[in-house]
Amino acid sequence: MRVPPRLSGLIARILQLLFPSVCPSCNCATDSVSHAPICRKCWSGIRKYRGPSCRICATPFASEDAVVCSDCIRKPPLFSHASSFGIYEGVLAEAINLYKFHGARRLAKPLAAFLLDFDSAGIDAVVPVPLSLAGLRSRGFNQSLLLAKVFSDQKNVPLVLDGLLKCRETKPQIGLSAAERAKNLKGAFEAPKRLDGCRVLLVDDVMTTGSTANECAKQLLGSGASEVAVLTLARASSL
Ligand SMILES: [Zn+2]
Ligand SMILES: [Zn+2]
């Protein structure tokens, strides 16, 4: 079928809008639809972090000898342990930023696929880290919820959408110290649903100091959860 030139130009422009043709990582033409605009070569270079890390909070270590980081020794977090697929750097960070800040919702599924290695045995409920109403309005979607939904569907573990609510907007955590982050988040979340005896998996996109995860765990434990584990796509050393 012959497409009129004006129409084909329109289709090309729409496709260009939907799937920008240049991979932001290598500047080559995009050859993927599912994880566009990142090309297949760059996407396949995303690697799981397999180096040494803290057994509790998963912060990466330079040394194989350390087991638990000094922060977890000084003040153990309220979550039992955290797992992250990778390190927040390179193509993985690029993909998360496109997904989270530039509306690339289609990346939810391929990014969530990185979480599926996590062993969900013993987990009773999956709870996403929530956004405030204002945050949800401005972003249009909750990036953690979409990841948690794919995980829940694929692993057949119930998703508890209202397990946590963010009841007020908080300042961006960027540039804040761990103590300032904790203060910024104090009282920002509530867990309105009883989760008595539930082992909860809290899902988020990126974990930095763990203060969000800790505050969420505090609320979930307060609502009766017997344990809260944390699963994120990436671990950031500082943001
Ligand atoms: Zn590329
Ligand atoms: Zn630690």
Side-chain angles (χ1 to χ4, degrees):
M1 187 183 80
R2 213 181 133 87
V3 180
R6 278 182 66 187
L7 188 57
S8 71
L10 180 65
I11 292 169
R13 282 205 301 280
I14 291 169
L15 285 173
Q16 176 70 21
L17 274 175
L18 290 174
F19 307 112
S21 58
V22 173
C23 169
S25 196
C26 68
N27 291 324
C28 293
T30 300
D31 54 0
S32 161
V33 172
S34 65
H35 47 71
I38 295 172
C39 73
R40 286 185 210 174
K41 186 163 177 274
C42 289
W43 191 270
S44 66
I46 297 175
R47 292 275 177 268
K48 188 177 169 72
Y49 176 72
R50 296 183 190 278
S53 60
C54 171
R55 260 191 215 170
I56 298 175
C57 75
T59 192
F61 289 146
S63 153
E64 297 274 354
D65 303 326
V67 177
V68 175
C69 76
S70 56
D71 287 345
C72 288
I73 291 171
R74 202 175 59 245
K75 194 175 179 206
L78 295 169
F79 51 83
S80 56
H81 65 276
S83 305
S84 287
F85 169 79
I87 303 292
Y88 185 77
E89 62 184 15
V91 182
L92 181 57
E94 184 96 60
I96 293 171
N97 289 344
L98 285 165
Y99 170 51
K100 192 171 166 180
F101 300 118
H102 299 280
R105 262 173 99 142
R106 63 181 169 277
L107 293 178
K109 213 169 171 184
L111 281 172
F114 293 134
L115 301 178
L116 300 179
D117 262 2
F118 181 84
D119 182 5
S120 59
I123 297 293
D124 302 306
V126 178
V127 175
V129 170
L131 292 180
S132 67
L133 211 52
L136 194 57
R137 275 200 200 109
S138 90
R139 185 161 298 159
F141 65 100
N142 175 355
Q143 74 280 358
S144 304
L145 190 156
L146 299 188
L147 297 172
K149 172 135 187 28
V150 175
F151 186 90
S152 155
D153 289 347
Q154 295 291 320
K155 296 282 196 175
N156 210 16
V157 183
L159 175 68
V160 183
L161 282 173
D162 54 353
L164 279 169
L165 298 176
K166 191 170 183 188
C167 33
R168 68 171 172 83
E169 194 49 280
T170 48
K171 283 188 284 188
Q173 301 272 75
I174 297 166
L176 300 183
S177 68
E180 287 166 336
R181 282 172 186 244
K183 193 175 166 204
N184 186 33
L185 293 170
K186 202 170 165 54
F189 299 99
E190 59 184 47
K193 207 175 173 115
R194 291 305 305 171
L195 292 162
D196 294 317
C198 270
R199 287 159 299 180
V200 173
L201 182 67
L202 180 71
V203 172
D204 204 357
D205 52 345
V206 179
M207 180 159 151
T208 308
T209 61
S211 42
T212 299
N214 205 49
E215 190 60 32
C216 288
K218 184 178 169 184
Q219 300 305 319
L220 292 165
L221 294 167
S223 279
S226 60
E227 184 188 338
V228 179
V230 184
L231 179 62
T232 62
L233 282 173
R235 181 71 207 220
S237 51
S238 61
L239 277 177

